[in-house]
Amino acid sequence: MSVTTLATNEVYSALDKGVIDFADRGDLTANLEAGLAEVAKYIIMPGPHQPTTATSYVANRAAYEKLSAPHKAALASAAREISGALRQHILVADTLALKAFQGKGVEVTTLSADELAQGRVQATKAGESATKGNPLAKKMMDSQIAFMKDLGLLS
């Protein structure tokens, strides 16, 4: 398999013409909105490559450091609230999108627990390799691996 990055507006026609065999624009709702239900035959669940939507908030460090402790706490609380609300919205929207895909005749298949477990091991190895010894990247990868072990997703 090889990965090809395409502009969003090229994904539909590339999948339709057989230039690519698989496509993903993000969550199920984004795929539905891109019209992929018209050209896709299958959806493979779960989408292990995107278990959640990441949200990030960016601030000027100097400006952030000038905030009072209560303002920093309020900002952190608001970020958690928005992130949680977004995740809940995506769960509901994706449930509706999955039904819409099925309504258009797209077959939904599911990876087995063994396939997911094997994929996690492979993804972990690839992630560790991608750190290329960078201490910050390694620290982030190690924290993700530890978390997955805590959840029982890796042994």
Side-chain angles (χ1 to χ4, degrees):
M1 175 192 326
S2 63
V3 176
T4 304
T5 303
L6 296 173
T8 296
N9 62 347
E10 296 175 11
V11 172
Y12 179 102
S13 61
L15 188 60
D16 185 40
K17 293 177 182 173
V19 174
I20 58 175
D21 296 315
F22 298 91
D24 185 27
R25 286 208 52 268
D27 57 41
L28 288 171
T29 302
N31 287 316
L32 182 65
E33 290 171 351
L36 298 186
E38 299 169 11
V39 293
K41 294 179 182 175
Y42 305 97
I43 290 178
I44 302 171
M45 296 293 290
H49 64 292
Q50 187 181 22
T52 187
T53 295
T55 54
S56 62
Y57 305 93
V58 181
N60 176 291
R61 181 180 293 261
Y64 176 78
E65 289 173 355
K66 289 179 185 177
L67 293 174
S68 67
H71 283 104
K72 287 179 182 177
L75 189 60
S77 178
R80 279 190 304 277
E81 178 68 26
I82 293 296
S83 295
L86 174 61
R87 183 67 191 139
Q88 183 61 35
H89 169 77
I90 289 169
L91 287 171
V92 172
D94 278 357
T95 298
L96 297 173
L98 187 59
K99 289 179 182 179
F101 271 104
Q102 290 171 313
K104 292 191 178 263
V106 177
E107 182 180 336
V108 178
T109 62
T110 304
L111 295 172
S112 70
D114 286 344
E115 291 168 322
L116 288 170
Q118 290 172 11
R120 284 187 196 104
V121 171
Q122 293 172 343
T124 300
K125 288 178 184 175
E128 289 173 327
S129 173
T131 68
K132 297 183 180 177
N134 178 288
L136 180 58
K138 183 168 178 1
K139 180 180 178 181
M140 291 188 313
M141 188 68 208
D142 289 347
S143 77
Q144 292 299 304
I145 291 170
F147 184 59
M148 289 175 63
K149 285 180 178 179
D150 287 346
L151 294 174
L153 298 174
L154 281 175
S155 48

